[in-house]
Amino acid sequence: MLLIDCPHCGPRNETEFHYGGQAHIAYPEDPHALDDRGWAEYLFYRDNPKGMFAERWQHGGGCRKWFNALRDTHSYEFAATYPAGSPRPDAGELPDPGHRNSTQTTPSAQDNPPTDDGGHQ
């Protein structure tokens, strides 16, 4: 199970959240000056990096608010979550990699096979 740290509600199960795409996409300064290609780039062209990526998420199963997150697209680990409208945190503001800030995983049943004592330890 993956826990995502909603900046408004705290850590919750990943099934309560909805992905909203790349964060910090600025609306065109003069939308009337854009041609079809310019609109297509604004609406559909997004970065797709391997590594740290700023994303928008919505807590649909909780407060229903939108927020931003920095997530490693390779490991799925969330480095930080922050309210929508806030600036993206700098790398120096993030916790060290050994500290689990926003995302926590719990072992699955396969990782913890039952014991002979009925599961009690």
Side-chain angles (χ1 to χ4, degrees):
M1 174 176 69
L2 183 66
L3 293 179
I4 299 175
D5 190 7
C6 174
H8 310 286
C9 302
R12 299 289 194 270
N13 189 309
E14 67 183 304
T15 59
E16 295 186 15
F17 296 90
H18 303 285
Y19 178 75
Q22 184 175 351
H24 307 292
I25 303 295
Y27 190 77
E29 288 185 27
D30 186 4
H32 301 290
L34 293 179
D35 60 4
D36 288 344
R37 176 150 181 89
W39 267 114
E41 288 179 8
Y42 168 68
L43 292 173
F44 304 113
Y45 287 48
R46 296 293 181 257
D47 297 335
N48 188 20
K50 180 178 180 181
M52 201 58 64
F53 190 52
E55 303 171 326
R56 295 170 28 115
W57 286 82
Q58 195 247 353
H59 191 182
C63 64
R64 303 182 62 86
K65 293 182 181 179
W66 285 91
F67 63 93
N68 295 330
L70 287 178
R71 182 178 67 91
D72 187 323
T73 60
H74 180 69
S75 67
Y76 297 103
E77 184 172 354
F78 284 72
T81 58
Y82 51 103
S86 299
R88 178 182 171 156
D90 292 331
E93 296 175 9
L94 298 177
D96 66 25
H99 180 262
R100 306 289 283 187
N101 178 34
S102 300
T103 301
Q104 302 170 7
T105 55
T106 56
S108 67
Q110 295 173 347
D111 295 334
N112 292 324
T115 61
D116 292 335
D117 61 358
H120 302 286
Q121 297 181 7

